[in-house]
Amino acid sequence: MKEPTKAGSGFWRSLRSGGVPSAIASVFGAPSAQQMAFIRSLSREQRRPEVLHYPMSRLETVVFDLETTGFHPQHGDEILSFGAVKLLGSEVQDEFYTLVNSKVSVPDNISALTGITQEMIDGAPSLIDGLHDFMAFAGRSVLIAHGTGHDKAFLNAALWKTSKIQLTHRILDTMMIARWLKPSLGSYGLDEVLEEANIPVTVRHHALEDAKMTAQLWQEYLRLMRHKQVDTLEDLYAHLSNF
């Protein structure tokens, strides 16, 4: 197993060397009109239609998970950590993990659930540093999460708060895929679908560990989808459109 990608310096190193997409780099001090032009360019790039026709064996994906202070970003809850696994088809390529200091106190019940303490957060990178390191890691990949509503809402809130942009990546939900592939399962929480797929549960409510288990779930679902003649992302969307 690879060491998780270290947070903090990666984004800035890539920024200095020109390795970060200009749409992301532009949020640091660029004039508003120029920033909006870059955002529109990024939006077109992320939603480019040719991705729909890539073979699933060549599809670049980033399976991710967030830990947060609660469930309501519109009421002040914030991201505490990012965890992500990058895959090419079914092959794991890299991992990413960082805590972030969002300047919001960590509730006691969240510390008990996640193991994230106030002291850990106080010494973590800022939200904008962690967020943009994560976005640089994600690049142009299709994003995958289990129960995407929660994660997408927090990502959008953080992106707007720090950069005045919205998430433009394509996002797949392994919960929705499970409902299609396993219609009689009954319950589709992460614990239930992992158990059904015979994937060992390691550490729950840790962003990287949850992302790694969800990545294994994605690998299993890729195998099952091959038997259903799902060869491209377009094929998958066609099946999921009924759910």
Side-chain angles (χ1 to χ4, degrees), residues 119-184:
E119 183 179 19
M120 293 164 66
I121 290 303
D122 289 343
S126 67
L127 173 62
I128 194 168
D129 286 348
L131 175 65
H132 285 88
D133 271 0
F134 169 74
M135 296 301 291
F137 179 82
R140 297 187 297 175
S141 302
V142 174
L143 297 180
I144 299 174
H146 192 79
T148 56
H150 173 86
D151 300 293
K152 185 176 180 180
F154 273 91
L155 274 182
N156 270 324
L159 283 166
W160 187 256
K161 177 181 178 180
T162 61
S163 312
K164 298 300 183 285
I165 61 174
Q166 292 286 307
L167 189 68
T168 55
H169 291 65
R170 297 183 187 276
I171 301 182
L172 293 173
D173 190 338
T174 48
M175 181 183 290
M176 184 177 291
I177 297 171
R179 289 182 184 277
W180 165 51
L181 292 174
K182 307 288 183 176
S184 61

Side-chain angles (χ1 to χ4, degrees), residues 1 5 8 40 57 94 152 161 178 193 205 215 217 228 237:
M1 181 172 63
T5 301
R40 288 192 294 269
S57 61
D94 203 358
K152 185 176 180 180
K161 177 181 178 180
V193 295
H205 306 294
L217 189 66
K228 292 182 175 289
Y237 280 143

